[in-house]
């Protein structure tokens, strides 16, 4: 009797309710993805050939041994002068001068395309929006969208991982300074990023391991946090609850071609990082000279990755600018050349293609690119190392 009664309750009222719930949650997700789209791009389930490239690696592969392509300042892909103009009303609240859009733009394809085209590491820079309400994305003074919050964009990654459960993503989160006149990495900011990264949904997508990358199998369908921020305004118990690897900004030497950063003192796990984003060439150096310096620093770190410290993390940034130079070398010029006879072979990206072809079978580690989609074969060549 009891069982039958219970069964009839399920049949008569719960089933229709469940159907209704599922369409409401679909609708809610669609809405979040729509809000995320200025940063994530318009979500579409893709079947591109590089959308599941991690399938060919065994579960027991150590992530530290893998070659993983990433994008530097990933959120800048739609930051044109028109976007800057459209945000000017709200950006004025920040009371900072925002230089021309080319200074900040480092990409031109949305996240959804990056994912389909094989990118697995993302460089995400957050701060409070100009009304101090939500965490949004910036590149220095440039607000990249007022409406797409860090929370919204994470749902884009979660949904994509549900659609591609063989893949692992590495998300680098960094507090971006100098976004507003009095902005700082204060307790309000730190509480918001903590809540975002420890919410129930985040806990189900971020493996709760600390200070080690682990194996691919442990992180398929999940996100490894590369934490480039401190929670120094909150009690230590907050920091204890965050998963992933910690790269304290205080240890990440600015504009350095050669950073050695220990992210796990117990096991002496060290990261070897090149982040020489502004070559220290004499003012007036040509675009070609700046590109040569950056290429030099990039390949030096990658050659170390192929030959040394097999179980340590190598994280190389192929991205750069020389905006202090005359004329300025924007990120795009550094990555792709300036389209004149002074850079006949293009930029850093073009020079890296033949270099990567020579690294077959080796470990190069994580490499972050600007304008990763050019030249056409850059990521294909990288993934076939
Ligand atoms: C990209 O920027 C343009 C110009 O500001 C805007 O019209 C367009 O909606 C943006 N694209 C997305 C996906 O938000
Ligand atoms: C946002 O916070 C900063 C730092 O506390 C403050 O100076 C600024 O006036 C606030 N902006 C708004 C619009 O409330
Ligand atoms: C930690 O590792 C580095 C090389 O990765 C080595 O130079 C150093 O001696 C090691 N330190 C300890 C305490 O084992
Ligand atoms: C290309 O770079 C050279 C050397 O830096 C510079 O003189 C020239 O003005 C640049 N041309 C363009 C179109 O940016
Ligand atoms: C190239 O890199 C080496 C080693 O880091 C450095 O000593 C040298 O000055 C660099 N040369 C140029 C042209 O950047």
């Amino acid at each position: 009797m009891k069982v039958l009664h219970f069964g009839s309750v399920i049949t008569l009222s719960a089933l229709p309710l469940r159907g209704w719930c599922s369409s409401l949650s679909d609708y809610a997700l669609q809405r979040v993805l729509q809000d995320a789209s200025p940063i994530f791009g318009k979500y579409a389930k893709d079947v591109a050939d590089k959308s599941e490239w991690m399938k060919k690696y065994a579960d027991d592969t150590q992530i530290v041994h893998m070659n993983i392509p990433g994008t530097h300042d990933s959120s800048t892909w739609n930051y044109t002068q028109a976007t800057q103009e459209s945000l000017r009303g709200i950006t004025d609240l920040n009371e900072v001068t925002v230089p021309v859009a080319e200074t900040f733009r480092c990409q031109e394809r949305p996240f959804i395309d990056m994912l389909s085209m094989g990118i697995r590491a993302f460089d995400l820079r957050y701060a409070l929006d100009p009304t101090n309400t939500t965490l949004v994305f910036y590149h220095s003074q440039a607000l990249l969208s007022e409406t797409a919050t860090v929370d919204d964009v994470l749902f884009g990654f979660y949904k994509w991982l549900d659609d591609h459960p063989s893949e692992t993503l590495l998300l680098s989160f960094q507090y971006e300074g100098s976004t507003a006149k009095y902005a700082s990495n204060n307790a309000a900011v730190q509480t918001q990023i903590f809540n975002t990264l420890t919410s129930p949904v985040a806990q189900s997508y971020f493996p709760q391991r600390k200070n080690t990358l682990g194996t691919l199998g442990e992180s398929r369908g999940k996100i490894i946090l590369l934490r480039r921020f401190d929670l120094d305004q909150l009690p230590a118990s907050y920091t204890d609850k965050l998963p992933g690897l910690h790269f304290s900004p205080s240890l990440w030497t600015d504009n350095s071609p050669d950073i050695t950063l220990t992210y796990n003192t117990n096991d002496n796990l060290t990261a070897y990082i090149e982040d020489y984003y502004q070559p220290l060439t004499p003012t007036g150096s040509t675009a070609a000279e700046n590109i040569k310096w950056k290429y030099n620093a990039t390949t030096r770190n990658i050659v170390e990755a192929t030959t040394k410290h097999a179980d340590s993390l190598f994280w190389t940034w192929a991205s750069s600018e020389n905006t202090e130079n005359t004329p300025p070398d924007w990120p795009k010029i550094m990555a792709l050349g300036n389209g004149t006879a002074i850079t006949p072979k293009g930029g850093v990206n073009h020079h890296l293609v033949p270099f990567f072809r020579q690294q077959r079978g080796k470990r190069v580690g994580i490499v972050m690119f600007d304008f990763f989609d050019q030249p056409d074969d850059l990521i294909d060549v990288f993934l076939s190392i």
Side-chain angles (χ1 to χ4, degrees), residues 71-246:
T71 49
H72 160 258
D73 257 303
S74 315
S75 314
T76 58
W77 63 273
N78 199 27
Y79 197 69
T80 59
Q81 209 55 44
T83 301
Q84 183 178 103
E85 283 309 318
S86 72
L87 291 164
R88 190 170 301 284
I90 185 85
T91 327
D92 285 347
L93 281 175
N94 280 342
E95 297 183 69
V96 290
T97 310
V98 189
V100 294
E102 286 159 298
T103 317
F104 304 102
R105 194 174 186 188
C106 301
Q107 305 296 338
E108 56 189 12
R109 304 290 292 244
F111 287 13
I112 184 72
D113 290 3
M114 293 181 187
L115 290 161
S116 310
M117 294 166 79
I119 297 299
R120 295 291 174 269
F122 291 76
D123 170 30
L124 306 172
R125 318 269 180 103
Y126 63 87
L128 282 172
D129 81 301
T131 69
N132 294 333
T133 310
T134 56
L135 293 184
V136 295
F137 298 91
Y138 284 87
H139 183 186
S140 303
Q141 306 97 310
L143 173 70
L144 303 173
S145 162
E146 169 60 12
T147 52
T149 65
V150 172
D151 272 310
D152 296 334
V153 169
L154 274 172
F155 275 90
F157 288 116
Y158 300 154
K159 169 71 176 142
W160 190 84
L161 285 166
D162 282 359
D163 288 341
H164 303 284
S166 55
E167 305 304 288
T168 293
L169 301 177
L170 295 94
L171 300 188
S172 165
F173 279 91
Q174 182 182 6
Y175 170 73
E176 190 74 334
S178 66
T179 57
K181 193 173 179 187
Y182 300 110
S184 72
N185 189 15
N186 57 24
V189 173
Q190 295 187 6
T191 304
Q192 284 214 27
I193 194 72
F194 173 83
N195 289 341
T196 292
L197 295 174
T198 57
S199 69
V201 61
Q203 286 191 37
S204 66
Y205 284 93
F206 286 82
Q208 299 299 301
R209 283 191 312 279
K210 275 174 100 76
N211 308 331
T212 172
L213 283 169
T215 65
L216 180 58
E218 289 168 326
S219 290
R220 287 198 202 272
K222 298 194 184 286
I223 299 170
I224 296 175
L225 173 63
L226 304 176
R227 177 162 70 90
R228 288 184 65 187
F229 62 87
D230 298 329
L231 295 185
D232 54 1
Q233 304 299 306
L234 303 177
S237 58
Y238 285 75
T239 296
D240 294 344
K241 290 195 187 97
L242 286 177
L245 270 52
H246 184 209

Side-chain angles (χ1 to χ4, degrees), residues 34-89:
Q34 179 61 36
D35 288 346
S37 65
I39 297 295
F40 196 85
K42 294 195 191 328
Y43 196 92
K45 188 165 177 179
D46 56 303
V47 285
D49 61 340
K50 289 192 284 287
S51 56
E52 298 193 340
W53 64 262
M54 287 178 164
K55 271 184 173 164
K56 73 173 181 200
Y57 294 93
D59 277 355
D60 63 0
T61 308
Q62 294 289 335
I63 289 175
V64 86
H65 294 161
M66 293 179 72
N67 298 333
I68 298 179
T71 49
H72 160 258
D73 257 303
S74 315
S75 314
T76 58
W77 63 273
N78 199 27
Y79 197 69
T80 59
Q81 209 55 44
T83 301
Q84 183 178 103
E85 283 309 318
S86 72
L87 291 164
R88 190 170 301 284

